[in-house]
Amino acid sequence: GTMTSLQTGYPADRILIHDQYLHKSLLLILDASAPSGKLSAVILNRPTSQSFQFTVPGSPKRRVPFTGNIPVGADLWLHYRPELGGIPLGESGVLIQPTEGVADLISKGLAAANDFLLIKGVVQFGKPEIAGMLAAGEMRCIPPGKQLSKLWPRLWSLTDDDDDGSSSSSRSSSSSVSDGTELWWLASQCSGDDGSSSGELTQQQQPVASVPPSDLADEALAEWLKFFAGVVKA
C-alpha cells in the first residue's frame, strides 16, 4: 500500500491518526473469508531492532518484524520454498508453517533460519475500505509473477541479524535496520508474470514511475519507526 494518493500526494486518513506504519508498506493478505467481512494482512517490510534466537542447534538469530498491530493466536511463519510444505497463500508463492513445523525442518537440516519470516500480528481492513483506497490510488494490487517472487529473498533479508552472537542484548544496532521503503518501491515496479506478456497492462498493474512526496506521511512513518521499531534513519 502506498498510503499516499498517486493523484493528490495526500496520505490516506487512516495513517495520520494511529496507523503510521502502513505508509509505504508491502502487505500480503492472509485471510479474506472472515465472518466479519474484514481482510487480515501482514506487513512484510517493517523489521525492528529487536531480535530473537531459535532454540535449535547453533541458536541462529533473526530480527523480529512488525507485521501488524493485532496479535495472532499463535506465532506463524512464512516462507517461499514450496518443497518445505505448508499452506500456500493464493498465487503469491508464499506459504505458512506453524512453529513446530519450522523447528523440525531446521533441526533436521532441511531448512535454515533465514528461510522463515516470523508473524506475530496482522492488520485488518474492511472490504469497502480496501475498495476506497484502491479507487483513490492510496493502495495498489501487485500481480503475482516472477518479478514479485524475486523480491521474497530480499524482503526476508530485512530480518537478518548482523549481530555475531557475542552480545546478550535483545537489541541490535538501530543504524543497521532498514526502514523497508526501498523494498516497497521495488515491489511497486512489478508488472506481473515475467514482464514480457504481450497484452497491455491494466491500470492497477502499471509500474509506479514516481510517487508524489508527502512530507507529513514520511515524517509520521519516521517517528513511528524511531519509537516503536528502533529504526533511526541517517
Side-chain angles (χ1 to χ4, degrees):
T2 66
M3 298 303 153
T4 302
S5 173
L6 299 179
Q7 284 79 31
T8 67
Y10 292 119
D13 292 340
R14 177 168 175 169
I15 77 157
L16 293 180
I17 301 174
H18 49 75
D19 289 351
Q20 296 90 347
Y21 49 79
L22 287 174
H23 182 51
K24 294 182 178 178
S25 64
L26 182 59
L27 303 170
L28 179 65
I29 293 177
L30 291 186
D31 183 16
S33 60
S36 64
K38 289 185 176 293
L39 300 173
S40 292
V42 292
I43 303 171
L44 298 178
N45 61 328
R46 288 285 175 266
T48 74
S49 61
Q50 186 177 359
S51 62
F52 68 97
Q53 286 184 299
F54 283 88
T55 54
V56 296
S59 301
K61 295 180 69 175
R62 304 292 293 164
R63 296 193 192 279
V64 178
F66 176 84
T67 56
N69 63 319
I70 302 173
V72 294
D75 291 349
L76 299 173
W77 303 81
L78 301 183
H79 70 86
Y80 51 86
R81 294 179 54 191
E83 69 272 18
L84 299 181
I87 302 172
L89 293 174
E91 300 178 359
S92 67
V94 175
L95 301 92
I96 298 178
Q97 276 277 9
T99 297
E100 57 270 21
V102 170
D104 185 57
L105 287 166
I106 296 177
S107 296
K108 292 179 178 177
L110 299 175
N114 60 8
D115 286 322
F116 300 100
L117 185 71
L118 174 62
I119 303 300
K120 298 181 75 70
V122 298
V123 291
Q124 290 188 334
F125 298 88
K127 291 183 179 179
E129 181 183 17
I130 288 282
M133 286 182 168
L134 288 170
E138 296 166 346
M139 183 177 285
R140 175 176 169 266
C141 291
I142 301 174
K146 293 181 180 178
Q147 291 182 343
L148 183 60
S149 296
K150 288 178 180 178
L151 278 181
W152 298 142
R154 297 187 64 172
L155 279 161
W156 265 234
S157 72
L158 292 177
T159 53
D160 287 347
D161 194 318
D162 298 328
D163 190 352
D164 62 7
S166 60
S167 171
S168 60
S169 172
S170 64
R171 290 267 171 177
S172 301
S173 172
S174 61
S175 61
S176 63
V177 185
S178 170
D179 66 7
T181 57
E182 178 185 3
L183 271 297
W184 161 82
W185 187 86
L186 288 174
S188 73
Q189 306 307 300
C190 293
S191 58
D193 297 324
D194 58 1
S196 61
S197 57
S198 57
E200 290 188 4
L201 298 176
T202 66
Q203 184 177 4
Q204 286 188 358
Q205 291 176 324
Q206 290 288 353
V208 179
S210 178
V211 176
S214 174
D215 292 340
L216 183 60
D218 289 342
E219 289 173 5
L221 174 60
E223 287 299 303
W224 184 91
L225 290 168
K226 176 181 178 181
F227 289 104
F228 295 99
V231 179
V232 179
K233 296 188 70 174

